[in-house]
Amino acid sequence: MSLSGGELVVRALEDEGVPFTFGIPGTHNIELYDALATSKSVRPILVTDEQSAGFMADAVWRSTRGRTIGCANIVPGAGLTHAMSGIAEAYMDTVPMLVLGCGIRRDSGRAYQLHDVDQIAMVKPVTKAQFLVRDSRELYRTVREACRVARSGAPGPVFVEVPADLYLLKGGGDTSYTPAPAAPAAPDPADLDRVVALLTASRRPLLYLGLGAAGAGKDLVRLAERLEAPVATTFQGKGVFPESHPLALWPGFGDAAPPFARAVAGDRDLTIAIGCRFGEVATGSYGLSPRGPLVHVDIERAVLGRNFPAKVAIAADAAAFVTALLARLPHLTGGVGGNASGGMPDEKLRARIRAGHDEVRAGWLSQAGTARVTPYRLLHALQERLGDETIFTSDSGNGTFLAVECLMLNAPGRLLAPVDYSCMGYAIPAAIGARLACPDTPVVALAGDGALLMTGLELLTAAHEGVGVAVFALRDRELAQIAQFQSVAMNRKTSSVLPDYDLSKLCEAVGVECLRLDTDDGIDAVVERVKQVTGGGRPVAVDVAIDYSNKTYFTRGVVRTNLGRLPWSDRLRFIGRALGRRVFA
């Protein structure tokens, strides 16, 4: 039986296990939407803005920990340009995504068609690969192949442009094609020998893990315990190593980390970095230096040694590397990670880490009792009352840094944050995508009040689709992170103080219940109501009077790092300007 172009694409999505497409239909792809209407496994989700389509598709993969790929279903021209921020976020954060783009008709021979722009050229800088389908017989195969490319190696979004005429016309096409998964890239045995030699000479190794290490799973715990090595992570890697483990140090180890984490890391004599790129945000503006020789392992060869020189650079799958290294470690004799018996707990090290975390928590708790809501109290209560499986999404800025520092996560895929592209407006649509993909898991969006103005109308999408997400709007009436940087460096704020708005009226307009949370005393009652509403499949928003008076370790560290890089004359100028404005304000 001959299938239409739309039916061929839907068949490919079904066979790839794509559960949702996110987008807004247009004249060029209504045939595809008509085919989606009859699919038993692919559900089209109508968004209010295509920017959100990318964020929702991104969150499908992150929240399912790599089991399910998301699909942004985009009309040509304006639909694509609106979606570019979400696509670029996925690209920078190495998230696989199928960007199913429609194109103008290629069979008319006419110029100046509606939405006619060079889409391939536009998306090339922010996608891993691009496909233009020219024959309906290639539709099924191309969509399946695009998903394979998106998942393989260093993951990323892949763009497929389907000309509108291929959707309109009946065509053939082989639907038996199944792309073969690529075998994990194994480490070179000679490189493993060099790593073992460095470990043999080392007494105090440090593990630094990114999201790319997630596939190694429990072997990461085995490796840390075998080496008795403290474990720091990137922001994206938070939860890759269980943070309740006594060797879990901090998300980072440089100037943007607490003093205890900097001290423990500073005492190391070897750094093994797995599945990370040493990006600007995770390193606090490159405010850290690997201690001792650096072993850098990543699936993407181009990142190895790019920001910090590596003594041993290994282009390999993280899980394959960790498995192979563990197999060799029992053969080591003498000291490994400071333990002559090899792998016995270093109680002094563990006590230092435990005491450091206790001191940090005590500092957070000492801030409680103000006239506003204490971030740690709120986040701790959400984890405690909603459960350890809860997925949090955050926005660019203070919400992300608070979540990174205050949440304790024991698995990856529980904090979805826009890190390297750092898009505002991510949290709410990402929460919707995550709850759709994980319907039995509580999902909380930590949305800045500036970011909420960008994509807050997706609350309408959540209400319409029956998606029980909880949106905690962290409101200080400012673009908090930028306002803090301005306040510290310049002692004044320019264009970072927001005009006020009534969140309850916005929620009323889209049919979403809105709660107020003004002080810590109201946390328990609000969280209980949130559980009731979201448990019934309805979204809820909470207007939180958040207390941002105590800056995160990240903010303080980044300011210190960047100020320290300036020549002394400029440092004095910056400091003098801020002090002068404070005195004469």
Side-chain angles (χ1 to χ4, degrees):
M1 181 179 66
S2 181
L3 301 176
S4 71
E7 291 167 333
L8 285 167
V9 169
V10 170
R11 178 75 63 83
L13 295 176
E14 292 170 340
D15 292 347
E16 280 294 325
V18 174
F20 310 101
T21 68
F22 302 97
I24 301 173
T27 57
H28 293 72
N29 64 357
I30 56 174
E31 288 287 337
L32 173 61
Y33 271 87
D34 191 63
L36 283 167
T38 60
S39 175
K40 291 182 172 58
S41 62
V42 186
R43 177 179 167 189
I45 303 295
L46 174 65
V47 300
T48 66
D49 188 293
E50 285 96 343
Q51 177 180 203
S52 299
F55 295 148
M56 291 181 191
D58 169 308
V60 168
W61 183 84
R62 296 199 209 203
S63 63
T64 59
R65 305 175 199 176
R67 294 189 300 272
T68 308
I69 192 168
C71 174
N73 186 13
I74 306 300
V75 297
L80 179 61
T81 54
H82 287 172
M84 287 279 279
S85 289
I87 297 168
E89 188 67 62
Y91 180 72
M92 291 287 284
D93 287 352
T94 61
V95 173
M97 179 193 298
L98 174 63
V99 184
L100 191 56
C102 198
I104 62 167
R105 295 191 66 147
R106 301 270 172 170
D107 63 342
S108 70
R110 301 293 187 179
Y112 315 118
Q113 293 184 45
L114 174 67
H115 299 321
D116 185 4
V117 291
D118 188 344
Q119 297 190 117
I120 298 290
M122 290 170 62
V123 301
K124 192 170 185 179
V126 294
T127 52
K128 184 178 176 182
Q130 311 81 36
F131 296 90
L132 172 59
V133 185
R134 298 184 182 276
D135 188 323
S136 62
R137 291 171 295 182
E138 295 298 319
L139 278 171
Y140 179 87
R141 181 187 184 96
T142 302
V143 172
R144 299 285 316 263
E145 181 64 13
C147 292
R148 183 196 69 78
V149 173
R151 293 187 185 102
S152 63
V158 173
F159 179 72
V160 178
E161 179 174 327
V162 181
D165 50 285
L166 298 190
Y167 282 139
L168 291 169
L169 307 175
K170 287 277 187 179
D174 181 8
T175 58
S176 65
Y177 173 74
T178 302
D188 187 314
D191 287 333
L192 287 169
D193 290 341
R194 297 170 68 195
V195 176
V196 170
L198 288 173
L199 283 168
T200 303
S202 166
R203 303 288 296 178
R204 299 179 305 279
L206 169 73
L207 289 178
Y208 183 53
L209 307 178
L211 183 60
K218 293 181 180 178
D219 277 351
L220 294 171
V221 174
R222 297 187 184 98
L223 179 62
E225 292 176 348
R226 181 68 182 88
L227 301 176
E228 197 56 17
V231 180
T233 70
T234 65
F235 287 6
Q236 292 272 43
K238 186 174 172 69
V240 164
F241 187 86
E243 294 187 310
S244 60
H245 193 283
L247 289 172
L249 187 61
W250 193 258
F253 58 88
D255 288 346
F260 88 91
R262 299 201 303 270
V264 170
D267 196 34
R268 302 292 99 188
D269 62 1
L270 172 68
T271 302
I272 302 178
I274 307 173
C276 65
R277 298 176 296 186
F278 290 98
E280 179 176 7
V281 178
T283 59
S285 284
Y286 315 108
L288 58 76
S289 295
R291 309 303 298 176
L294 171 63
V295 175
H296 193 178
V297 183
D298 196 87
I299 193 71
E300 190 175 8
R301 186 175 297 277
V303 311
L304 299 175
R306 179 66 177 82
N307 283 332
F308 296 96
K311 184 75 172 179
V312 182
I314 302 176
D317 175 78
F321 167 79
V322 173
T323 299
L325 182 59
L326 279 170
R328 292 178 178 236
L329 290 185
H331 303 297
L332 289 175
T333 58
V336 178
N339 290 282
S341 57
M344 292 294 290
D346 182 343
E347 296 300 343
K348 184 177 179 181
L349 169 65
R350 294 181 177 213
R352 284 180 74 189
I353 294 173
R354 183 169 58 251
H357 283 293
D358 289 345
E359 182 180 2
V360 167
R361 278 191 289 271
W364 287 332
L365 289 170
S366 71
Q367 303 156 25
T370 68
R372 298 177 71 83
V373 176
T374 312
Y376 175 70
R377 290 264 187 179
L378 172 61
L379 294 177
H380 179 70
L382 286 169
Q383 282 201 285
E384 191 173 60
R385 302 290 291 276
L386 299 183
D388 196 44
E389 293 292 320
T390 302
I391 294 170
F392 293 84
T393 66
S394 64
D395 263 303
S396 171
N398 238 23
T400 288
F401 306 134
L402 285 170
V404 165
E405 294 183 3
C406 295
L407 294 174
M408 179 178 284
L409 305 180
N410 288 317
R414 291 183 184 161
L415 174 60
L416 318 185
V419 175
D420 285 331
Y421 200 62
S422 200
C423 252
M424 288 178 66
Y426 178 88
I428 294 175
I432 295 170
R435 187 65 194 258
L436 282 167
C438 306
D440 298 323
T441 303
V443 179
V444 173
L446 304 172
D449 45 3
L452 187 144
L453 290 172
M454 294 183 170
T455 55
L457 279 179
E458 296 302 343
L459 285 167
L460 177 64
T461 304
H464 175 68
E465 297 287 349
V467 183
V469 295
V471 175
F472 281 74
L474 309 179
R475 301 196 63 195
D476 66 337
R477 276 64 176 177
E478 296 180 339
L479 301 174
Q481 189 65 38
I482 299 304
Q484 285 187 4
F485 284 145
Q486 288 177 329
S487 179
V488 171
M490 302 164 185
N491 202 34
R492 72 181 179 197
K493 303 167 186 177
T494 305
S495 296
S496 58
V497 178
L498 293 168
D500 201 6
Y501 59 90
D502 189 333
L503 180 59
S504 66
K505 294 290 180 61
L506 187 153
C507 289
E508 182 182 355
V510 296
V512 172
E513 182 174 346
C514 185
L515 310 173
R516 283 191 61 87
L517 180 56
D518 293 322
T519 66
D520 290 347
D521 292 340
I523 289 176
D524 288 345
V526 164
V527 174
E528 187 58 35
R529 179 57 183 163
V530 163
K531 286 179 65 176
Q532 294 172 0
V533 176
T534 57
R538 303 189 311 278
V540 62
V542 183
D543 192 332
V544 182
I546 197 72
D547 182 1
Y548 280 152
S549 61
N550 191 63
K551 297 176 182 64
T552 61
Y553 290 104
F554 179 88
T555 298
R556 285 177 276 169
V558 166
V559 170
R560 186 168 55 244
T561 294
N562 284 295
L563 184 63
R565 287 201 183 104
L566 294 173
W568 269 108
S569 59
D570 288 306
R571 268 188 255 182
L572 292 173
R573 177 173 61 84
F574 270 71
I575 294 169
R577 180 180 64 184
L579 290 176
R581 287 174 178 171
R582 182 164 301 177
V583 170
F584 296 107

